Amino acid sequence: MERDYSKLFRLDGKHAVVVGAGSGIGRESALALAAQGARVTCADRDLAAAEETVSRGEHLTAYRVDVLDEDAIIRAAAELQDVDVLVFTAATNVRKRILDYTGEEFDRVVALNLRASFDLIRAFGGPMAERGSGSIMGFSSIRATTVEPGQSVYAATKAGLVQLLRTAAAELGPSGVRVNAIAPGVVETPLTAQIKANQAWYDAYAQKGALGRWATPDELAGAVVYLASDASSFVTGSVLHVDGGWTAVDGRFDPPN
C-alpha cells in the first residue's frame, strides 16, 4: 500500500502526554502536537501553568503530576490510558564548579533530570509495549557531548539520559515502541534566564552556533512532531540535535580568507 504523504505528520486519533507542558519547550510541543490532531494531556507540577497552555489551543487537557514522586508517575500512567506518545522536558541545573558542588545539589539535579526520566519511561513504556506501539522522547542537551566549566552534573545527567533512552529503544523496539532523544542548543526558556541576564554570556552563546543566535521554544516543536508521527517510523535510538549548528562548529577562530 502506498503511503499518503499528505498525512505524514498528522497525529489524528493519537493521545500524547507532554510532561513539563506548563512552559517553554513543553508548552510549544503540546500546542504543536494538538495542531496536528493529537489529543494532548498537558502534565506539569504547576497545574495553573498547564491550564494556561490548555487555554491556547484545542484538544488539550491539564493534568497535575510531580515527577519527583514515583507513585504519582505510576498513578498518572494508570489514569492516562492508551498513551501513544510521551514527551518529557522537565529539567533543572545548578551551575557550579565541581569543587563547589554540594551533595544535596547533586542529588537534586540527578533526581529530576535522570531518575524522573527513568520512572517515566518505565511507567509509560510498559503499557505501550503491551499495546505494540508508541513513541517516547526525552530532552537531552548539547551538554551531553560538549561541556564548559560549571556544567558537570547537568551534563552528566543529559549524557546519562541519552544512554537510558538508547537502551529503552533496544529493549522496547521488538514490541513496536520507538524511543529517541532530542538535544537542543541554547533556548530562551526559564532555565536559561541566568545567562540571558548577562549580555556578554548571552552574546557568546549566540555566536557559538552556525546561525549566530539563540533558539525560541517553538523551534523545538517540529522535532517533537516528527518523532511522534509516522514520518519517523524507522527512527529509534537516535539523538536529534536541534542546536543551530552548535555541535558542528568549533567556533573559536574564524580564519582569514
Side-chain angles (χ1 to χ4, degrees):
M1 184 177 68
E2 291 187 3
R3 176 171 289 195
D4 184 353
Y5 290 119
S6 68
K7 299 179 180 179
L8 192 60
F9 295 93
R10 293 296 301 176
L11 298 167
D12 302 282
K14 301 289 187 182
H15 178 200
V17 173
V18 180
V19 178
S23 65
I25 295 170
R27 170 173 286 173
E28 300 303 327
S29 297
L31 295 174
L33 292 168
Q36 292 300 321
R39 174 170 58 92
V40 182
T41 298
C42 300
D44 202 283
R45 182 176 61 179
D46 185 342
L47 184 60
E51 290 172 340
E52 172 61 26
T53 299
V54 168
S55 72
R56 300 188 183 197
E58 298 180 347
H59 313 300
L60 301 160
T61 304
Y63 184 91
R64 185 187 184 282
V65 64
D66 182 355
V67 294
L68 293 175
D69 182 347
E70 181 183 0
D71 291 337
I73 291 175
I74 293 171
R75 285 195 302 272
E79 293 172 2
L80 303 173
Q81 298 181 355
D82 299 328
V83 176
D84 301 291
V85 178
L86 172 67
V87 183
F88 50 91
T89 68
T92 190
N93 190 4
V94 176
R95 292 182 177 87
K96 283 186 176 181
R97 294 173 183 261
I98 293 172
L99 299 184
D100 297 325
Y101 237 93
T102 68
E104 183 278 329
E105 290 166 337
F106 178 95
D107 290 342
R108 174 152 46 94
V109 175
V110 171
L112 182 57
N113 295 7
L114 199 54
R115 175 58 194 265
S117 300
F118 172 75
D119 291 336
L120 285 164
I121 292 167
R122 292 202 303 168
F124 286 89
M128 286 181 178
E130 291 176 3
R131 294 174 58 208
S133 66
S135 175
I136 297 172
M137 62 197 87
F139 272 77
S140 180
S141 168
I142 54 172
R143 294 301 173 214
T145 51
T146 64
V147 299
E148 67 181 3
Q151 296 277 18
S152 61
V153 182
Y154 180 81
T157 60
K158 292 304 184 177
L161 177 59
V162 167
Q163 295 302 76
L164 184 64
L165 291 168
R166 282 173 166 164
T167 306
E171 294 178 355
L172 300 178
S175 299
V177 181
R178 298 183 297 106
V179 186
N180 293 284
I182 298 174
V186 288
V187 187
E188 294 191 357
T189 70
L191 192 62
T192 55
Q194 176 188 3
I195 300 171
K196 189 174 182 179
N198 183 319
Q199 192 63 48
W201 198 356
Y202 181 87
D203 290 345
Y205 273 23
Q207 294 160 11
K208 173 62 176 71
L211 298 181
R213 63 177 179 84
W214 285 52
T216 52
D218 59 289
E219 292 183 291
L220 278 298
V224 172
V225 170
Y226 166 66
L227 290 174
S229 72
D230 287 342
S232 61
S233 59
F234 202 59
V235 179
T236 194
S238 293
V239 181
L240 176 54
H241 285 87
V242 187
D243 63 0
W246 182 293
T247 52
V249 179
D250 184 284
R252 290 178 294 181
F253 181 66
D254 188 7
N257 294 327

